[in-house]
Every structure is written in structure tokens, then in C-alpha cells.
Amino acid sequence: MSVGLDERAALDFVLAMRRRWADTLYPHLRAEFDAAAPDARPNDPQALAPVVHGLPAYPWFAWMERGSQKMLWRAVSDAVVAAPAAEGGTGPATLELD
């Protein structure tokens, strides 16, 4: 299956977005958390959730996590749907396991 320029650009965008989520936004959120709750015990998620959800960076962090995941699956889905047409097929691709 060959990936077209549009599909490659969509995947590159989403992957770059996910890198910024991981290498920029997450460390910022973690720094906010460490400042807001320096004595928090990391093994108590129910107690930590209100603290994390109240951090200024959390809405951005959550949106980028969910939004980038949705974009990634959409790009993959579009590429899979387009593959049979690009290869001269008329329906969904098939897979036969040996």
C-alpha cells in the first residue's frame, strides 16, 4: 500500500502534535502539579484527580491527548479506506492468514 502526500502530511502533523504533547505540554503539566501538590502521594489517583484537573495546563493537555488520538485514528482509517481504490480494487481490502 502506498501512502499519498495528503495522507503522509496528515500523519506527520499528528505525530508532531503528539511529540509536543509529550515533550512540552506534559513536563509543563508535571511542573504545575509538583508546585501545587509537592507532598502528594502518586499511588492515590482519586485524591490526585481534583488537583490535576484544576491545573491551568490540564485542559490543553487533555484536549491534545484526545484530539491527537482522534486525528491519528482518522488518518489511519482514511488511508485504509483509500488503499483498495488506489490499488485498483473495488471494496475493502482482505487479509488471509496462513
Side-chain angles (χ1 to χ4, degrees):
M1 174 174 113
S2 128
V3 177
L5 186 58
D6 288 343
E7 291 87 2
R8 184 74 238 171
L11 289 171
D12 286 346
F13 174 80
V14 174
L15 294 174
M17 185 176 169
R18 290 181 67 81
R19 274 193 300 276
R20 294 298 77 79
W21 170 78
D23 69 11
T24 302
L25 195 49
Y26 175 75
H28 182 79
L29 182 71
R30 181 61 200 233
E32 284 184 356
F33 173 78
D34 290 341
D39 299 326
R41 294 183 330 184
N43 59 350
D44 189 1
Q46 269 106 18
L48 297 179
V51 175
V52 173
H53 293 172
L55 297 173
Y58 180 75
W60 292 102
F61 176 83
W63 183 90
M64 280 189 72
E65 179 179 32
R66 178 73 175 132
S68 65
Q69 188 67 23
K70 286 171 68 174
M71 285 185 227
L72 181 61
W73 283 111
R74 172 57 60 117
V76 169
S77 174
D78 290 348
V80 168
V81 168
E87 295 173 3
T90 58
T94 59
L95 173 65
E96 187 174 317
L97 299 176
D98 182 2

